[in-house]
């Protein structure tokens, strides 16, 4: 069965890096997303989805080692970088670390380890609140300006997306780095102003970090539970006041007040973490057809764009299939969640039977790996395998 094959390959897709000019030396072997020569680093948000597959395959040890390597980088650099290479130190990625800690702790029940992780999560939280908070109190993606050739990054963004944008090169360079931190590199979401947008996905993840820290504080009995809960309540209040726009949570430019160009899966992150109200979830549920294709969930609703963006329709990214599945399950839309899970499972199995590979992303209209791309789509284990295994477990449990 493909399940056993993928579980074995995922557990074997690990690396160990010593410190050199390129790599950050890490104390434990770490999972890499591809079986080939590309992407040979520990990538931040990818690993949350990889760990889902490792844990449900019984390889909790490797999932914990991935987390421990991230905690090491937080202690050393004050953030979890985009990836475990020195070129990534100017930015982080969506802060899923508290969710990874929770997933491992729920299996191991190791409170001594949780206490160490708690300290690291405090440091990561400080990074986001001190370096990525807008005047309105919500978080935004950004970067630490360390690259002396910023204009060249603007030119790289134009070339990679085949865009004809006339925005200043420095603005495009900032957008390049901020979108890279968002993980959605690149997307039509942010109007080439990613560093100025307060997005619902990031703020939902930080709300979950605050809620998880309240829970961890309770487990450890360290007296901080109320502080973390108040932080979560304040963030939810701000998100509802600023990001909720009629029928969806939206990306909002904190300088201009404008919303992003497109409706996307990011709108469902408050449902994914359980922050949305029942009324908000109902409104978002009515808009699900805007994002659902024949073979999966589009990243963004179909719109006309200037250039080619891989984080847009008709592309299916495995990580977002899991986000949508959990979001719908959390609010009782079980039939929709199961339909989306089965579409993903069937597509992965069908394409693997034809190509012998799992892939980084797929096409929701054709059910193949001919996704719209800014680079050649690589074979992928990582989050493709992790989400496949976890969704398969969910479906099999129901059966």
């Amino acid at each position: 069965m493909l399940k056993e094959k993928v579980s074995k390959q995922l557990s074997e897709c690990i690396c160990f890096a010593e410190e050199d000019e390129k790599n950050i030396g890490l104390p434990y072997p770490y999972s890499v997303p591809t079986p080939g020569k590309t992407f040979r680093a520990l990538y931040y948000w990818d690993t949350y989805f990889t760990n889902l597959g490792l844990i449900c395959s019984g390889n909790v040890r490797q999932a914990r080692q991935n987390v421990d390597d991230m905690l090491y980088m937080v202690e050393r650099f004050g953030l979890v970088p985009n990836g475990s290479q020195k070129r990534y130190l100017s930015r982080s990625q969506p802060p899923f670390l508290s969710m990874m800690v929770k997933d491992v702790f729920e299996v191991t029940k190791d409170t001594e380890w949780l206490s160490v992780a708690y300290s690291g999560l405090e440091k990561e939280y400080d990074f986001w609140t001190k370096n990525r908070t807008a005047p309105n109190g919500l978080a935004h993606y950004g970067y630490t300006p360390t690259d002396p050739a910023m204009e060249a990054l603007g030119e790289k963004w134009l070339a990679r997306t085949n865009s004809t944008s006339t925005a200043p090169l420095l603005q495009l360079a900032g957008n390049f780095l901020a979108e890279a931190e968002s993980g959605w590199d690149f997307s039509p979401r942010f109007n080439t102003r990613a560093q100025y947008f307060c997005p619902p996905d990031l703020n939902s993840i930080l709300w979950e970090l605050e809620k998880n820290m309240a829970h961890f504080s309770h487990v450890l009995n360290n007296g901080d539970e109320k502080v973390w809960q108040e932080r979560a309540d304040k963030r939810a209040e701000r998100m509802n006041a600023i990001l909720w726009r009629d029928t969806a949570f939206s990306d909002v430019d904190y300088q201009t007040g404008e919303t992003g160009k497109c409706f996307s899966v990011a709108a469902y992150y408050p449902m994914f973490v359980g922050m949305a109200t029942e009324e908000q979830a109902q409104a978002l549920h009515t808009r699900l057809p805007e994002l659902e294709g024949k073979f999966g969930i589009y990243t963004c609703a179909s719109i006309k764009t200037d250039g080619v963006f891989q984080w847009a329709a008709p592309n299916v990214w495995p990580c977002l299939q899991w986000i949508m599945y959990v979001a719908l399950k959390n609010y009782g839309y079980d039939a929709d969640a199961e339909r989306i899970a089965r579409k993903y499972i069937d597509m992965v199995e069908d394409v693997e039977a034809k190509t012998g590979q799992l892939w980084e992303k797929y096409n929701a209209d054709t059910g193949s790996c001919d996704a719209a791309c800014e680079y050649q789509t690589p074979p992928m284990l990582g989050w493709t395998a992790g989400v496949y295994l976890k969704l398969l477990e969910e479906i099999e449990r129901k059966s």
Side-chain angles (χ1 to χ4, degrees):
M1 282 182 64
L2 183 59
K3 176 182 176 180
E4 284 71 28
K5 175 183 176 182
V6 169
S7 295
K8 183 175 185 292
Q9 288 177 334
L10 188 65
S11 290
E12 293 174 348
C13 202
I14 59 174
C15 278
F16 186 88
E18 295 184 356
E19 188 84 14
D20 58 29
E21 292 183 359
K22 176 183 177 182
N23 295 298
I24 297 168
L26 296 176
Y28 303 101
Y30 56 88
S31 296
V32 291
T34 58
K37 295 181 179 180
T38 57
F39 302 125
R40 306 304 284 176
L42 177 67
Y43 284 91
Y44 186 1
W45 79 310
D46 302 51
T47 305
Y48 165 70
F49 304 95
T50 300
N51 273 10
L52 293 176
L54 289 169
I55 292 171
C56 74
S57 298
N59 195 348
V60 181
R61 182 172 181 267
Q62 183 55 47
R64 176 168 164 167
Q65 288 183 147
N66 289 336
V67 174
D68 285 339
D69 280 332
M70 291 183 184
L71 291 169
Y72 166 81
M73 288 190 284
V74 169
E75 289 293 331
R76 181 174 172 185
F77 302 110
L79 78 161
V80 181
N82 184 154
S84 59
Q85 294 178 347
K86 293 175 181 177
R87 65 191 176 104
Y88 292 130
L89 287 171
S90 67
R91 60 185 184 268
S92 185
Q93 272 196 326
F96 278 90
L97 183 55
S98 80
M99 298 187 208
M100 290 187 247
V101 168
K102 185 178 180 181
D103 288 344
V104 170
F105 176 71
E106 286 182 347
V107 178
T108 67
K109 307 299 182 184
D110 186 340
T111 53
E112 184 176 346
W113 177 80
L114 180 63
S115 181
V116 174
Y118 185 95
S119 176
L121 290 170
E122 285 184 308
K123 291 181 174 65
E124 180 179 46
Y125 186 75
D126 284 345
F127 165 78
W128 286 96
T129 54
K130 292 176 181 177
N131 300 286
R132 300 289 190 267
T133 300
N136 62 18
L138 291 176
H140 61 89
Y141 292 114
Y143 62 96
T144 302
T146 59
D147 196 319
M150 285 289 286
E151 289 194 354
L153 288 178
E155 293 171 345
K156 184 177 179 180
W157 185 88
L158 288 170
R160 181 166 156 176
T161 61
N162 196 30
S163 174
T164 58
S165 173
T166 58
L169 284 177
L170 286 177
Q171 177 180 314
L172 293 177
N175 182 73
F176 178 103
L177 293 170
E179 285 200 37
E181 184 167 86
S182 80
W184 292 45
D185 49 340
F186 295 101
S187 169
R189 284 174 60 186
F190 301 114
N191 306 353
T192 71
R193 288 174 54 85
Q195 61 189 310
Y196 302 114
F197 272 84
C198 295
D201 47 351
L202 173 59
N203 283 283
S204 296
I205 297 167
L206 288 170
W207 180 87
E208 179 73 353
L209 191 162
E210 291 158 348
K211 293 287 287 185
N212 284 339
M213 291 297 275
H215 170 63
F216 299 154
S217 179
H218 175 76
V219 171
L220 297 170
N221 194 27
N222 64 15
D224 291 339
E225 183 177 357
K226 183 179 178 182
V227 172
W228 287 107
Q229 184 61 55
E230 288 174 348
R231 290 169 175 169
D233 291 344
K234 190 65 176 178
R235 187 176 302 276
E237 179 184 326
R238 287 169 172 156
M239 290 176 67
N240 285 321
I242 298 169
L243 303 186
W244 180 256
R245 301 290 174 100
D246 297 326
T247 60
F249 289 95
S250 300
D251 301 310
V252 175
D253 188 319
Y254 70 80
Q255 289 190 335
T256 67
E258 295 179 355
T259 59
K261 285 184 177 180
C262 57
F263 178 60
S264 76
V265 176
Y268 291 82
Y269 271 70
M271 290 176 63
F272 169 68
V273 300
M275 191 218 80
T277 66
E278 293 292 338
E279 293 76 16
Q280 289 167 338
Q282 185 176 17
L284 284 160
H285 179 252
T286 63
R287 298 192 64 176
L288 182 60
E290 297 177 49
L291 293 175
E292 186 171 358
K294 182 178 179 181
F295 294 96
I297 294 295
Y298 297 140
T299 306
C300 300
S302 296
I303 61 169
K304 185 177 181 180
T305 61
D306 168 39
V308 176
F309 298 93
Q310 61 180 5
W311 287 85
N315 287 359
V316 167
W317 286 86
C319 52
L320 300 185
Q321 312 309 296
W322 175 250
I323 298 297
M324 187 66 83
Y325 172 83
V326 174
L328 293 167
K329 288 283 288 185
N330 281 346
Y331 290 83
Y333 299 110
D334 292 0
D336 298 293
E338 183 175 338
R339 182 181 67 253
I340 288 163
R342 289 189 180 278
K343 282 185 177 184
Y344 178 74
I345 291 167
D346 290 346
M347 179 176 61
V348 167
E349 291 180 345
D350 180 65
V351 175
E352 197 279 338
K354 294 174 180 175
T355 67
Q357 301 276 6
L358 274 60
W359 298 88
E360 181 189 53
K361 51 189 174 289
Y362 298 86
N363 186 317
D365 293 339
T366 66
S368 66
C369 55
D370 62 335
C373 252
E374 300 153 20
Y375 53 79
Q376 185 175 353
T377 298
M380 181 71 68
L381 286 170
W383 58 22
T384 310
V387 172
Y388 169 75
L389 292 169
K390 186 62 177 176
L391 287 176
L392 199 59
E393 180 187 69
E394 292 280 315
I395 295 298
E396 289 175 347
R397 181 186 295 122
K398 184 170 182 180
S399 303

